[in-house]
Amino acid sequence: IEFAKPEDVTQIVALGCLSFEENGLNTAGIPKSIDKALQIVLNCIIEHVVLVKRNEQNPKLIDGILIAQAATDWWTETVVLHSLMFFIKPEFRTFKLVKEFIDEIKKYVILNKTALVFDVFGQMNASKKSKLMKYLGFKDFGSALIFTPGET
């Protein structure tokens, strides 16, 4: 696991688009914007935290990503990291790799004396993901729900 480089941005956004589809966000009635995704991901690479797992056979390819952005919430002055995306290509998903990503982001959080708010977002295996994150030391504070006018 290593920090992403600016030249990784298009590959990271492509993985983000896979995540968007896999997690059912394409059915939420909120269209994705590739231009905005490129802008946000590049900003996160430069200003925040983007971790990648490179392919062992071809290190130019990325097999997994974890993006976190430092920000304050409305209720505190404390800057914390907020996960924006955590995605591993299906063929590389293992408990070991998930744990490697989480261990690496935890090291960053400890080193920077902050906290990490990790959203388990999406329809696919949400309860399983939440259970796994609790097992890895996270506290459960709820879930994400979306209302889109005009849909039932």
Side-chain angles (χ1 to χ4, degrees), residues 42-54:
L42 184 58
N43 176 263
C44 285
I45 290 171
I46 295 167
E47 300 288 332
H48 302 280
V49 181
V50 180
L51 299 175
V52 297
K53 169 67 170 134
R54 298 197 182 274

Side-chain angles (χ1 to χ4, degrees), residues 1-2 12 15-20 22-23 25 41 49-53 62-69 82-90 92-106 116-122 124-125 128-130 132-134 136 138:
I1 308 290
E2 63 185 64
I12 293 168
L15 289 175
C17 289
L18 288 175
S19 174
F20 186 87
E22 183 180 282
N23 286 307
L25 293 175
V41 170
V49 181
V50 180
L51 299 175
V52 297
K53 169 67 170 134
I62 296 172
D63 294 336
I65 56 175
L66 194 161
I67 303 172
Q69 188 175 42
H82 291 265
S83 69
L84 298 184
M85 185 183 330
F86 183 29
F87 183 78
I88 299 171
K89 290 178 182 175
F92 297 105
R93 287 180 191 157
T94 62
F95 172 78
K96 181 182 177 203
L97 184 52
V98 169
K99 188 171 181 331
E100 285 177 26
F101 267 107
I102 299 303
D103 287 348
E104 205 58 39
I105 196 75
K106 281 181 175 178
L116 173 63
V117 177
F118 204 97
D119 293 320
V120 177
F121 199 75
M124 187 173 169
N125 299 320
K128 184 178 175 182
K129 292 174 189 175
S130 182
L132 173 62
M133 296 309 287
K134 286 188 266 185
L136 293 173
F138 289 77

